[in-house]
Amino acid sequence: MKIYVMTWNIFDSGTASNYPLTGLPRFCAKRGFEGIEISDRQLTSWNQDSIRAFGAESQLQGMGIILDIGCDLTSNHLKYFQEERDHVKQMIRIAQEIGAEGVRIWLGGQSLSIQKLYYRKMRTIFQDGTFEKKNFKRSPTVVSVILRSNPISRLVRWMGHRVSSQVFFLEKKIQNAVLSLKEIMRSVEGDALFVAVENHWGISSDPENLLSVIHSVGFRNLGTCVDFTNFPKRVNRVDGIRCLAPYAFMAHAKRDLFIKDFNRRDIDFQNALSVLKSSGFDGIIAAEYDGPGNGLDECLEIRKKIQELWEGRGRDGAVGYPSI
């Protein structure tokens, strides 16, 4: 088992806001992490030379890399359907070039998606092997500023936890996801790179839908990324983690900020780790925080708890896990 950190937590904390991309591997290694999980939007805001140097520096520091790819592979719109697949395949080529161990993707399909509305607008265009950022206006629009604001981000997270995961035309979207993934996986066939689908808002928020897609696609290097808190309200988290864990290449470890009782929050986190370990999981756990305040400090605390609990020690030093 290896512990990585989500890089957007580092930038949000302000601690490394002035760091160049090539400084991240050493920054994270010094803080005890064994790898970096970085998003496509963060990575492609740098030029190609910096991205290659980032890959080389990560190898020098002995740091693994996971590339997050934001996408919607379920669209019924023919143009968007192909654009999304092309984007994923291009990002996979970059992941291969920088020596990433794997990529984490979403399936999409959520009927209401602020993320899709904003991230598509920020996407990088690739022309003749060069990066070109979409440039709608020199200054941020009012809409983009609102969408990036902390209140809206918290509203989206609240909806993900409290509102049912509404997906219209579910069967058709599952078919589209299967078709998309088959095409994408052929581009990585024979490569050591894994593709992990996260239980993220949309059709993949339901564990049964997610596993149905993975089994239908049928590639050994296609599996899951188990997020501890990204289940819709109707899905029991422990059951959801237990269902996805046997197919997991990686997991996102985070505490549920919507549980106000701190002791209950920690117990839920311990239960999630316990289920993950009992499944035989020995992959990558990425520390993640999606709340206000210093994300790096929270990720460091999560790393500490993972190490303690994975070795079988609770806060009082006792061996064992809480019963589930």
Side-chain angles (χ1 to χ4, degrees):
M1 186 273 296
K2 296 179 288 187
I3 305 175
Y4 286 24
V5 62
M6 304 282 281
T7 56
W8 61 269
N9 284 139
I10 297 172
F11 286 116
D12 282 354
S13 72
T15 309
S17 57
N18 296 320
Y19 260 64
L21 182 65
T22 51
L24 274 178
R26 180 175 176 82
F27 179 90
C28 296
K30 287 177 66 176
R31 284 153 182 82
F33 294 104
E34 298 164 274
I36 295 169
E37 186 171 346
I38 188 167
S39 77
D40 52 357
R41 298 172 301 283
Q42 289 176 315
L43 192 66
T44 56
S45 64
W46 300 83
N47 60 42
Q48 286 179 303
D49 288 340
S50 294
I51 291 173
R52 293 191 185 100
F54 165 74
E57 181 64 19
S58 296
Q59 292 183 17
L60 183 65
Q61 296 293 331
M63 297 288 284
I65 303 172
I66 299 296
L67 178 59
D68 288 348
I69 306 175
C71 57
D72 185 345
L73 302 179
T74 69
S75 177
N76 287 317
H77 190 292
L78 186 60
K79 178 186 175 185
Y80 291 155
F81 190 47
Q82 190 58 52
E83 277 185 2
E84 295 296 299
R85 288 184 289 181
D86 290 344
H87 174 70
V88 174
K89 288 189 287 186
Q90 179 65 59
M91 290 297 106
I92 285 175
R93 285 192 286 272
I94 292 176
Q96 291 167 328
E97 184 176 337
I98 62 177
E101 295 169 78
V103 299
R104 189 276 293 157
I105 66 172
W106 311 327
L107 294 183
Q110 180 67 27
S111 299
L112 172 63
S113 177
I114 293 177
Q115 289 176 323
K116 183 169 66 175
L117 176 66
Y118 180 67
Y119 292 155
R120 180 183 293 278
K121 201 169 185 180
M122 295 296 292
R123 183 161 295 170
T124 300
I125 302 172
F126 295 87
Q127 296 180 347
D128 303 322
T130 61
F131 298 104
E132 180 182 327
K133 201 75 173 177
K134 284 188 177 180
N135 185 20
F136 293 87
K137 292 184 178 180
R138 290 184 179 275
S139 58
T141 64
V142 173
V143 172
S144 68
V145 170
I146 292 173
L147 291 178
R148 295 180 67 180
S149 66
N150 192 55
I152 292 297
S153 297
R154 290 187 62 78
L155 174 62
V156 171
R157 288 192 293 271
W158 181 88
M159 291 176 67
H161 285 276
R162 297 294 181 262
V163 181
S164 62
S165 182
Q166 184 65 49
V167 179
F168 298 125
F169 312 110
L170 176 61
E171 293 303 319
K172 176 60 176 174
K173 288 182 176 180
I174 288 176
Q175 291 174 16
N176 289 346
V178 170
L179 287 173
S180 296
L181 276 175
K182 283 184 176 179
E183 179 180 320
I184 289 165
M185 294 308 299
R186 291 188 194 105
S187 69
V188 296
E189 192 172 8
D191 192 273
L193 191 87
F194 67 74
V195 177
V197 184
E198 182 183 353
N199 52 305
H200 194 83
W201 226 17
I203 67 171
S204 58
S205 63
D206 186 298
E208 292 183 2
N209 290 340
L210 175 49
L211 292 184
S212 173
V213 170
I214 288 175
H215 292 322
S216 296
V217 176
F219 282 77
R220 288 189 305 170
N221 54 337
L222 176 66
T224 63
C225 168
V226 183
D227 188 290
F228 285 3
T229 67
N230 273 5
F231 295 99
K233 188 177 181 180
R234 60 184 173 76
V235 175
N236 178 279
R237 289 185 193 171
V238 168
D239 291 340
I241 294 171
R242 186 177 287 117
C243 180
L244 297 177
Y247 307 93
F249 288 107
M250 58 181 294
H252 284 169
K254 58 188 179 187
R255 294 183 286 187
D256 187 354
L257 302 179
F258 296 98
I259 299 176
K260 295 181 180 180
D261 186 315
F262 287 98
N263 288 330
R264 181 70 245 176
R265 188 185 295 179
D266 280 347
I267 289 171
D268 275 16
F269 185 76
Q270 292 171 17
N271 285 343
L273 281 175
S274 176
V275 172
L276 190 66
K277 184 178 181 183
S278 64
S279 74
F281 177 85
D282 191 32
I284 295 163
I285 304 180
E288 180 182 7
Y289 177 64
D290 59 3
N294 192 309
L296 177 59
D297 285 348
E298 174 70 8
C299 286
L300 288 168
E301 180 65 20
I302 288 174
R303 178 180 64 84
K304 180 181 176 182
K305 287 184 176 294
I306 293 170
Q307 290 174 325
E308 291 176 349
L309 293 167
W310 207 261
E311 294 169 4
R313 298 194 308 271
R315 281 184 296 179
D316 59 357
V319 176
Y321 291 94
S323 58
I324 303 172

